[in-house]
Amino acid sequence: MPVKKERRWSVAALCVVLAAVAGLGAAAAVTSSSDRTKVLAVVRDVPAGQPLTAADLTVAEMSADAALTPVPAAQKASVVGKRTAVELRKGGLLTASQLAAGTGLGDDRQQVGVQVKRGQAPAGTLAPGDKVLAVTTPAQGEQTGGKAEAPPSTVSAVVVSVSRPDASGSVVVNLAVGPSDGPLLATRASQGRVAIVRQPRSH
């Protein structure tokens, strides 16, 4: 009889231990689930200065981390249509610092698209936010007639975005300029008479 009682107590103790382990597992699962949050991620490359579309974004889950500040998934509707301040890469998390109201890249100024051929701009060094000079190049057949060459005509501008090079190496640079310079720069750009000089970047 004493042996049977000991066995019953052993079985009961085992049941208590298993119940406790199951309870801890369930609690851990709930805690793990509560520590995860839904955020926005980028599903394809987006150039700087480009308005975000719903197709550019997806919802991802991540563990809560105070060091990371991705945009919550619930804010997707509010960020669609905003322009990117930097180039976004596929697979990255979207953060508020990658967007800005007006982006600060000339949304309140006139913008002109300038197609720049290879050799008419610093190769691969232009980035959104760069201050540049759009310099007028001589027209075809234009000669100085033996006179001293006049200083080139320039227009101060800020780079809004730069396209990827095409097969010939040409890129389209979107420039933000003052209201009085937009028509002039557009006219010169349509004639292919613009070269770009990047101003020194501040440190």
Side-chain angles (χ1 to χ4, degrees):
M1 294 294 293
V3 175
K4 291 183 178 180
K5 287 183 178 181
E6 289 179 3
R7 287 179 178 175
R8 289 175 182 173
W9 280 110
S10 298
V11 172
L14 180 60
C15 290
V16 171
V17 172
L18 291 176
V21 171
L24 290 174
V30 171
T31 302
S32 176
S33 176
S34 63
D35 284 346
R36 299 188 69 80
T37 181
K38 293 184 177 181
V39 298
L40 293 178
V42 182
V43 296
R44 58 188 179 189
D45 293 347
V46 181
Q50 185 81 11
L52 276 177
T53 68
D56 295 327
L57 304 171
T58 189
V59 175
E61 283 194 1
M62 61 168 286
S63 299
D65 188 339
L68 299 176
T69 56
V71 177
Q75 297 182 16
K76 182 176 181 178
S78 65
V79 300
V80 169
K82 287 190 174 181
R83 293 182 181 274
T84 57
V86 296
E87 183 177 7
L88 304 183
R89 291 293 187 180
K90 178 180 178 180
L93 298 179
L94 181 68
T95 64
S97 64
Q98 294 170 327
L99 305 171
T103 74
L105 298 179
D107 284 4
D108 57 345
R109 305 171 70 187
Q110 291 184 344
Q111 292 190 31
V112 179
V114 179
Q115 184 176 33
V116 181
K117 297 179 181 179
R118 191 192 302 272
Q120 290 182 316
T125 64
L126 291 179
D130 280 344
K131 294 180 179 180
V132 300
L133 293 176
V135 183
T136 303
T137 58
Q140 186 174 6
E142 187 175 64
Q143 298 179 352
T144 60
K147 299 179 181 179
E149 186 174 351
S153 176
T154 63
V155 173
S156 297
V158 175
V159 176
V160 175
S161 63
V162 182
S163 72
R164 298 184 185 279
D166 61 18
S168 67
S170 296
V171 297
V172 175
V173 183
N174 288 325
L175 298 176
V177 298
S180 61
D181 294 325
L184 174 63
L185 182 57
T187 300
R188 293 173 178 171
S190 68
Q191 299 169 350
R193 296 180 57 198
V194 177
I196 294 179
V197 177
R198 179 173 64 77
Q199 300 277 50
R201 290 173 178 155
S202 58
H203 297 284

